[in-house]
Amino acid sequence: MTESDGVFGHSVRPSGAERVVDVRLSTTYGDFLAVGYLDRESGDEQMVLVYGDAEQDGALTRVHSECLTGDVFGSKHCECGDQLSAALHAIVTEGRGILVYLRGHEGRGIGLLAKLRAMKLQAEGLDTVEANLALGFPADARDYRVAAEMLHDLGVQSVRLLSNNPLKLEALLRHGIKITEQVPLLIPPREENMAYLWTKRERLDHYLPHLDSAAD
């Protein structure tokens, strides 16, 4: 089934993700099927973009955490906006794939205002992990349950996961999504985010081998 069909088979697996609407969304990257969900457990409104025949095994899939400062305002503090753009481009180039956009993940799950407070602490010398901890939050508070539930609802059994984050892979596996391949999503670093990226690599185990050559 293709995104132009506008429907996917619902999973019988119990889920907190309630599918609310399917609608075609034309973007600068291509035409997607936008599938809107309500997470009944958290109350968050979620969206998945589907391109091509995503029900086949191994569709290229990006599970992207909401980042208002990076995704919308183009912040140089992180690489989130660039990753979102690169993921959508890669999915369209591939001819099929899925982008799961996860609301409620701002600041690795601590919320927008806490994230801005953490950014201020980073400007004062803490790294991104230390800043979250100093505010009384975990280093990473994100939960990927609803991402897996939405993928199950769409009839997706296995994906090629476009991510550098091992915790994301482990979480999807734990929630019953098979990962046939982890595909790196490496964005050239900037001077403004180099320290942030090194912290993600050294303290959060993200796969970022390209930082070695950038540091030379």
Side-chain angles (χ1 to χ4, degrees):
M1 184 176 296
T2 67
E3 38 82 27
S4 59
D5 294 317
V7 233
F8 288 83
H10 286 270
S11 169
V12 296
R13 178 187 296 261
S15 174
E18 175 187 353
R19 191 192 303 200
V20 177
V21 61
D22 302 350
V23 63
R24 184 179 297 280
L25 182 68
S26 181
T27 77
T28 56
Y29 304 94
D31 292 342
F32 292 82
L33 178 69
V35 187
Y37 288 88
L38 174 65
D39 183 353
R40 293 192 300 263
E41 293 192 17
S42 69
D44 290 324
E45 297 174 341
Q46 304 288 1
M47 188 168 75
V48 179
L49 295 182
V50 181
Y51 189 87
D53 191 353
E55 281 190 285
Q56 293 183 14
D57 287 345
L60 187 64
T61 299
R62 170 70 179 167
V63 176
H64 188 87
S65 293
E66 175 183 29
C67 176
L68 180 68
T69 51
D71 297 341
V72 177
F73 300 122
S75 170
K76 297 179 181 179
H77 180 81
C78 63
E79 81 277 42
C80 301
D82 290 332
Q83 284 190 318
L84 178 60
S85 179
L88 289 168
H89 179 76
I91 286 168
V92 172
T93 300
E94 180 111 344
R96 68 187 188 98
I98 302 168
L99 187 132
V100 179
Y101 194 87
L102 287 178
R103 307 281 305 282
H105 273 207
E106 194 76 55
R108 295 197 303 279
I110 67 175
L112 179 60
L113 296 182
K115 170 185 166 178
L116 294 176
R117 292 170 62 202
M119 289 173 63
K120 183 175 181 180
L121 290 177
Q122 290 171 60
E124 295 169 358
L126 299 186
D127 68 32
T128 181
V129 171
E130 292 167 344
N132 274 28
L133 297 176
L135 292 172
F137 297 106
D140 192 335
R142 290 175 291 183
D143 180 3
Y144 297 97
R145 166 196 53 81
V146 73
E149 289 177 350
M150 291 187 289
L151 291 171
H152 283 302
D153 178 75
L154 292 170
V156 175
Q157 300 300 318
S158 69
V159 301
R160 294 168 55 232
L161 185 63
L162 192 56
S163 176
N164 309 319
N165 185 353
L167 293 181
K168 191 177 294 185
L169 181 147
E170 293 166 8
L172 291 179
L173 287 172
R174 189 166 61 251
H175 289 290
I177 299 297
K178 297 178 182 177
I179 312 294
T180 60
E181 181 185 3
Q182 183 170 2
V183 181
L185 184 58
L186 305 179
I187 304 298
R190 296 186 172 96
E191 179 181 351
E192 295 90 344
N193 66 21
M194 181 65 80
Y196 168 80
L197 293 175
W198 273 106
T199 300
K200 288 177 71 174
R201 176 171 137 167
E202 299 304 315
R203 302 198 63 180
L204 298 171
D205 295 326
H206 286 221
Y207 179 74
L208 298 169
H210 64 313
L211 298 184
D212 293 325
S213 58
D216 292 340

